[in-house]
Amino acid sequence: MHIAFVASECVPFSKTGGLADVVGALPKALAALGHQVSIYVPHYRQTRLTDSQIVLKSITVPFDDKYRFASVLTTDSSAAVRFYFVDYPPFFDREALYGTSAGDYPDNAERFYLFTRAVLEASKILGVPHVFHCHDWQSALLPVMLRTLYSEDPAFRDVANVFTIHNMGYQGLFPPDILPLLTLPWDLFTMSKMEFFGQVNFLKGALVFSDFVTTVSRKYSQEIQTTEYGFGLEGVLRNRAATVTGILNGVDYEDWSPQNDKFIAARYSPQDLSGKVNCKKDLLNSFGMPNADLNVPVVGIVSRFAAQKGFDLISQVVDRMAREEMIMVVLGAGDKPYEEMFQRLSKQFPNKIAVKIAYDNAIAHKIEAGADMFLMPSRYEPCGLNQIYSLKYGTVPIVRATGGLDDTIEPWDVRSGKGTGFKFTEYTGEALLATIKQALLAFRDQSSWQTLMRNGMNKDFSWGASAREYGKVYDRVRQLRAGGVGGSVVDLKKEPVLR
Ligand code: ADP
Ligand code: GLC
């Protein structure tokens, strides 16, 4: 089957978070199952292509007042996984992918409309897929256009589409007059389609118009149907619950394994853990703590700094945390208040908390390998990849039991010797502190701690099983289309708008 991935980031070409890891890795696993995958992403300033060729010189994208012309590049691709980059420098040759510290780029609606429309047009020449698989709000207009502007286009008559939610917290909200600017019909601006509290909601459009909606863990697929986690779209999802499912993300162990990681000071494995202490030394060196006692546990954090990630809990209990025998190393960047908070804490507790405000892949790998524990106290977490990477590195996760964190970490039970980490449920500083203390206590018994480390290291979260689940979803949406269900498998009685 030919599947076209449409997304705003993809490893190794562009990345701000886990979406890029998924879009870089899942296609390889699908190809291993015999599928053919095309990946469409924007060509950003940050996208470094060593060997690129132009495959399409000029794709016309209409706006209300003018036409814009994009081109499409490719790079060294295998027959099974092809990369296509939509090139339009006025929109994508910029300092960052989505915005700067001053805020999101004001023309993000135009940027990602142009991207998705160029993908639809380009696919007519490069190969119309059996299934478009779109990810997050940046590609959400594709299913909308497929079932509106392009609904009569014979090229797409049999094409199905699947939409994956990686994060409900980012929806793509724009003022109503964006619709005519993007040549989209006004009748999309109703409550049953894209209208959302007076604004146009791109993500909502995808949730209404996609044939199938997936998200990145089983638990999150349930959580987003509740008011607490649905960000106002829980009703839309509940309406189509029969075609919403959760498929857990996998890990690309070619990139994330202590047995072959090229960024770390020493390699190690469950059979021979001895290299991990060298990684710990190297980590403490890179964080300016060369004389730290190697017996003191190191708790690592690698994160985008955003409210989602739960770091406000640390600030609630940091005074008491600092009394514990532990060192915290933090790598992150993002929202200013959290950057400032961590910088302040590192000044207040210089021997306890070391911080780098940066986005740095090499250091992220060093933390995975060199820390003893990895902290993710997220308020919500659709899947979370770092805790799964941590398992492989024998770096024991301490997580809040939400979304994918809850699905991937099993609580440690010293009596049975089962479990892979530590979890807390209540979103409070007290619960966080109690769980950290529990982990620190467990760390004192190094022999059972090694059992705990190995339990995690021996887990297998590679992509194979999840890729097979996606394969089933693709089969299902194709059958539904072939069966003449029409534009969407959303309950047609509730959604008469869908063709
Ligand atoms: P999210 O996508 O919500 O940011 P995930 O846990 O799914 O969370 O994925 C985050 C990815 O981004 C991981 O690969 C992680 O290593 C990487 N990452 C996050 N912050 C940084 C950073 N400051 N420097 C380097 N890598 C980072
Ligand atoms: C999002 C989520 C994260 C998930 C990632 C990849 O950015 O915040 O939990 O792992 O997407 O699906």
Side-chain angles (χ1 to χ4, degrees):
M1 195 186 311
H2 178 196
I3 301 126
F5 270 52
V6 186
S8 57
E9 42 186 277
C10 172
V11 160
F13 305 107
S14 44
K15 171 165 171 177
T16 67
L19 169 64
D21 293 356
V22 173
V23 176
L26 173 57
K28 287 196 256 174
L30 291 168
L33 297 177
H35 298 296
Q36 186 201 332
V37 189
S38 306
I39 306 174
Y40 287 92
V41 280
H43 183 226
Y44 300 105
R45 182 182 298 172
Q46 298 74 5
T47 312
R48 300 258 174 266
L49 302 179
T50 40
D51 180 22
S52 68
Q53 303 150 15
I54 298 182
V55 283
L56 294 175
K57 270 213 181 98
S58 179
I59 302 274
T60 307
V61 179
F63 282 72
D64 72 331
D65 53 343
K66 62 164 104 120
Y67 291 106
R68 294 177 187 263
F69 303 96
S71 56
V72 178
L73 313 178
T74 190
T75 188
D76 240 4
S77 308
S78 68
V81 180
R82 292 190 184 281
F83 292 102
Y84 294 116
F85 304 89
V86 172
D87 192 36
Y88 186 70
F91 280 175
F92 299 119
D93 183 7
R94 295 191 183 173
E95 187 188 332
L97 270 53
Y98 311 125
T100 61
S101 52
D104 287 349
Y105 291 128
D107 56 355
N108 272 348
E110 285 120 289
R111 297 173 76 219
F112 290 102
Y113 156 77
L114 174 129
F115 166 59
T116 42
R117 190 139 189 192
V119 170
L120 281 170
E121 290 295 335
S123 75
K124 290 192 196 177
I125 304 160
L126 299 171
V128 174
H130 298 108
V131 179
F132 278 109
H133 186 167
C134 299
H135 302 260
D136 276 356
W137 76 264
Q138 295 89 343
S139 60
L141 285 186
L142 192 142
V144 174
M145 290 191 283
L146 201 57
R147 302 296 177 234
T148 55
L149 298 182
Y150 287 79
S151 65
E152 306 294 330
D153 190 325
F156 297 119
R157 209 188 46 214
D158 301 322
V159 178
N161 68 85
V162 172
F163 186 82
T164 297
I165 303 167
H166 295 262
N167 198 327
M168 283 288 266
Y170 302 85
Q171 302 188 347
L173 289 173
F174 303 99
D177 55 8
I178 200 70
L179 287 173
L181 178 64
L182 307 182
T183 75
L184 294 169
W186 268 117
D187 69 13
L188 287 171
F189 197 62
T190 63
M191 225 169 90
S192 64
K193 296 176 190 163
M194 294 179 81
E195 190 272 341
F196 186 78
F197 298 102
Q199 289 192 290
V200 173
N201 185 325
F202 279 24
L203 183 67
K204 183 174 175 184
L207 302 188
V208 169
F209 283 100
S210 295
D211 296 334
F212 212 98
V213 173
T214 74
T215 186
V216 289
S217 67
R218 188 198 49 83
K219 177 128 189 203
Y220 194 60
S221 75
Q222 295 164 345
E223 286 174 340
I224 53 180
Q225 298 184 41
T226 67
T227 320
E228 188 181 353
Y229 292 99
F231 287 96
L233 292 178
E234 57 278 5
V236 182
L237 283 164
R238 277 203 302 265
N239 253 342
R240 57 167 309 164
T243 48
V244 176
T245 194
I247 302 177
L248 192 71
N249 286 333
V251 172
D252 189 342
Y253 289 123
E254 279 176 29
D255 283 346
W256 295 97
S257 161
Q259 299 189 50
N260 50 29
D261 190 323
K262 51 182 187 297
F263 296 108
I264 64 180
R267 311 271 166 91
Y268 59 94
S269 67
Q271 293 73 36
D272 179 6
L273 294 170
S274 58
K276 191 163 168 74
V277 70
N278 295 336
C279 297
K280 185 167 178 177
K281 261 187 225 154
D282 177 51
L283 174 65
L284 290 166
N285 260 336
S286 353
F287 273 82
M289 296 178 152
N291 302 319
D293 177 354
L294 290 172
N295 294 313
V296 172
V298 171
V299 179
I301 290 178
V302 177
S303 191
R304 283 187 297 118
F305 287 158
Q308 168 193 349
K309 301 294 178 181
F311 297 125
D312 48 323
L313 295 186
I314 295 181
S315 70
Q316 288 174 22
V317 288
V318 71
D319 290 332
R320 279 179 291 154
M321 250 167 73
R323 280 186 229 140
E324 298 295 322
E325 186 153 284
M326 63 181 257
I327 291 172
M328 193 179 258
V329 296
V330 183
L331 170 68
D335 294 355
K336 274 273 153 328
Y338 298 104
E339 292 188 353
E340 284 163 10
M341 175 190 103
F342 277 115
Q343 269 164 335
R344 203 174 51 244
L345 296 181
S346 71
K347 287 203 188 93
Q348 200 178 341
F349 305 103
N351 302 320
K352 291 271 172 172
I353 303 180
V355 174
K356 282 190 198 291
I357 304 297
Y359 187 90
D360 187 323
N361 188 39
I363 307 263
H365 283 255
K366 282 179 194 288
I367 293 180
E368 287 295 358
D372 297 293
M373 303 165 198
F374 195 92
L375 181 60
M376 291 178 78
S378 305
R379 183 183 282 274
Y380 74 93
E381 196 62 73
C383 177
L385 293 171
N386 280 112
Q387 84 282 9
I388 316 183
Y389 301 157
S390 301
L391 289 175
K392 195 42 88 193
Y393 286 81
T395 301
V396 175
I398 302 171
V399 303
R400 178 157 177 267
T402 181
L405 297 174
D406 199 24
D407 283 355
T408 53
I409 304 305
E410 298 152 34
W412 168 240
D413 174 35
V414 69
R415 265 170 303 169
S416 64
K418 294 218 169 92
T420 55
F422 299 87
K423 304 202 251 197
F424 61 101
T425 302
E426 226 184 295
Y427 189 75
T428 60
E430 292 304 325
L432 167 69
L433 183 64
T435 312
I436 291 179
K437 283 185 174 175
Q438 198 190 335
L440 296 176
L441 189 65
F443 184 80
R444 291 203 202 143
D445 176 357
Q446 272 298 303
S447 100
S448 66
W449 186 262
Q450 289 199 356
T451 306
L452 167 57
M453 287 168 70
R454 288 199 176 92
N455 288 352
M457 295 176 89
N458 288 323
K459 290 274 168 202
D460 181 5
F461 286 95
S462 45
W463 269 105
S466 301
R468 280 191 292 281
E469 289 300 305
Y470 279 108
K472 285 187 208 156
V473 170
Y474 302 146
D475 284 340
R476 177 138 177 237
V477 288
R478 284 189 71 198
Q479 275 162 12
L480 287 163
R481 291 239 103 222
V485 174
S488 169
V489 292
V490 175
D491 184 341
L492 295 180
K493 277 176 253 102
K494 284 192 195 139
E495 295 288 344
V497 296
L498 301 169
R499 290 188 243 194

